[in-house]
Amino acid sequence: QVPLVESGGGLVQAGGSLRLSCAASGRTFSYAIGWFRQVPGKEREFVAAINWSGGSTYYADSVKGRFTISRDNAKNTVYLQMNSLKPEDTAVYYCGRKILSGSNFSNKGQYAYWGQGTQVTVSS
């Protein structure tokens, strides 16, 4: 019931940066959000997540130290700052709302209401 819209993707050279946004069209944004990515032939994989307040963040090992997730609930937006990008980061990036309770933030089955995705392409 809360649609999400990803934006900010594009083409960047290796070592460059992008900032993705996940925006909700509703007036409230007080729920956990996860970023996942998917490439052809592979399942959607966890990238990062943030709890409802922004006080807790979670990252896949492959992006720790390079990506930063944050949120601004007043703007109904979650951000994914992506630095030191690698060709392996090329994927369609999706955000979803965590709909199940619990401490498991990395399982895509915990999320729903995915956005349409935004393409990130990193050239070497």
Side-chain angles (χ1 to χ4, degrees), residues 33-111:
I33 293 291
W35 281 101
F36 291 72
R37 64 190 182 187
Q38 189 167 25
V39 298
K42 298 183 67 176
E43 291 195 28
R44 194 167 297 186
E45 69 172 358
F46 172 72
V47 176
I50 190 166
N51 77 335
W52 72 270
S53 69
S56 298
T57 58
Y58 310 85
Y59 298 95
D61 289 342
S62 59
V63 306
K64 284 182 179 178
R66 300 189 298 121
F67 292 7
T68 302
I69 189 170
S70 62
R71 69 189 301 158
D72 186 340
N73 287 346
K75 297 181 178 179
N76 282 2
T77 303
V78 169
Y79 303 99
L80 184 68
Q81 179 66 46
M82 309 165 67
N83 298 327
S84 301
L85 283 163
K86 305 175 180 179
E88 306 94 275
D89 296 317
T90 296
V92 178
Y93 284 70
Y94 300 89
C95 62
R97 176 184 176 184
K98 192 174 189 295
I99 61 169
L100 300 180
S101 300
S103 60
N104 188 350
F105 284 84
S106 63
N107 189 332
K108 66 180 183 294
Q110 297 279 309
Y111 298 84

